[in-house]
Amino acid sequence: MLKKERVDYVLNRLEELYPETPVPLDHFDAYSLLVAVLLSAQCTDERVNQITPALWALADNPYDMAKVPVEKIREVIRPCGLSPQKSKAIQKLSEILVNEYHGQVPENMAALETLPGVGHKTASVVMAQAFGHPAFPVDTHIHRLAQRWGLTSGKNVVQTEKDLKRLFPKEKWNKLHLQIIFYGREYCSARGCDGTVCEICTTCYPARKHPKKINKA
C-alpha cells in the first residue's frame, strides 16, 4: 500500500468500527474536563472516572477548588498516581482561572499551556473536546500506532502530531484521535499487537514478518 492508500484505509476502517466517539473521561464542562485530563497522565481513564465524583463533591468549580487545601485534594486523587504534583497543579490552576480568567477555562491553546500541569497534549484535548477546535492530541499510544501503520517515522509525539495533521483532513482530527485511541485499546495495544497481528497492521503491511520497531516517544 502507498501512504495515501494507508491513510484512506485507516480513515474508512476506523469510521466503520467507531462511528460514535464518546469522550472517555466523564465531565460536565470545560473545567471538569481540564482537571480530568490532567489526572489521566500515567493513569487509566477508567480510574480517573472512578475518582472524579469524590473530587467534584469537594469542589466542582475553580472558585471552590482554589480554597480546598492541597492535602485534601491529594487524599482524594491518590489512586490516580503522581498525586503530590497533580494536587498542587489542580489547586494552583484553579487560582489562576479565578484571578486571571474570571473563573473560565481559556479557549486558547497558548493560554492553556501556561497553566500548571497542563502540557500541549492536555491543552489539545481541551481545545478539541471542550471547545470543538480542530486539534490532534497525540499520546504515546497514538504515536505507537501511527508508526505501526506507516503514517510517521517521528522520533517523538511532536513530530508524529505534525505528520498526522498533514496527512488527515482538519475536520477529521477531533474524531480521529479518539478513534485511534479506541482501536489501540481494543485491537492494537502495546502487548496485544507488535505490528503483525491486528487487522489494520496486517492490511497496511501484509508482508511484514517481524515486529515493528517503535521510536520511543
Side-chain angles (χ1 to χ4, degrees):
M1 266 192 184
L2 298 172
K3 183 177 280 190
K4 176 71 169 67
E5 294 174 313
R6 293 197 298 274
V7 166
D8 291 342
Y9 169 71
V10 166
L11 258 183
N12 294 331
R13 189 67 186 114
L14 289 178
E15 185 61 32
E16 289 170 0
L17 288 169
Y18 307 106
E20 302 297 326
T21 51
V23 177
L25 289 165
D26 295 340
H27 66 285
F28 47 85
D29 61 7
Y31 175 73
S32 57
L33 178 63
L34 174 64
V35 173
V37 179
L38 188 155
L39 288 172
S40 71
Q42 297 184 37
C43 180
T44 64
D45 292 347
E46 186 179 18
R47 175 67 59 84
V48 173
N49 289 339
Q50 291 168 354
I51 297 308
T52 46
L55 184 61
W56 308 143
L58 268 185
D60 64 0
N61 62 81
Y63 290 96
D64 293 336
M65 192 70 80
K67 299 172 189 167
V68 178
V70 169
E71 296 73 28
K72 230 173 184 179
I73 299 173
R74 184 178 175 184
E75 283 171 23
V76 172
I77 68 169
R78 193 183 303 274
C80 288
L82 304 177
S83 59
Q85 302 97 304
K86 289 177 180 178
S87 55
K88 287 177 190 167
I90 289 169
Q91 193 208 48
K92 186 64 182 167
L93 74 79
S94 299
E95 277 182 12
I96 293 170
L97 292 180
V98 170
N99 294 333
E100 298 182 22
Y101 298 101
H102 308 290
Q104 300 298 308
V105 175
E107 194 173 334
N108 177 286
M109 179 75 82
L112 285 168
E113 290 182 354
T114 66
L115 296 173
V118 178
H120 180 69
K121 184 238 169 184
T122 297
S124 296
V125 171
V126 173
M127 288 296 285
Q129 297 174 1
F131 299 122
H133 294 292
F136 210 130
V138 173
D139 58 11
T140 53
H141 306 293
I142 291 179
H143 176 68
R144 182 175 65 245
L145 268 63
Q147 289 186 68
R148 286 178 179 169
W149 300 345
L151 303 178
T152 183
S153 55
K155 293 183 168 55
N156 53 54
V157 294
V158 176
Q159 185 58 51
T160 296
E161 180 183 336
K162 285 180 184 169
D163 290 340
L164 293 177
K165 282 181 170 179
R166 195 178 68 251
L167 290 172
F168 292 101
K170 186 180 277 195
E171 66 271 15
K172 303 284 188 184
W173 293 353
N174 291 359
K175 187 174 188 180
L176 183 60
H177 105 265
L178 286 171
Q179 290 172 322
I180 296 174
I181 288 170
F182 295 160
Y183 184 86
R185 289 176 181 174
E186 192 168 358
Y187 300 109
C188 195
S189 65
R191 294 180 182 173
C193 179
D194 58 8
T196 67
V197 179
C198 81
E199 177 190 353
I200 292 182
C201 284
T202 54
T203 302
C204 288
Y205 290 96
R208 184 185 278 159
K209 300 288 186 244
H210 302 289
K212 169 66 178 167
K213 191 166 185 267
I214 302 297
N215 292 323
K216 297 296 182 187

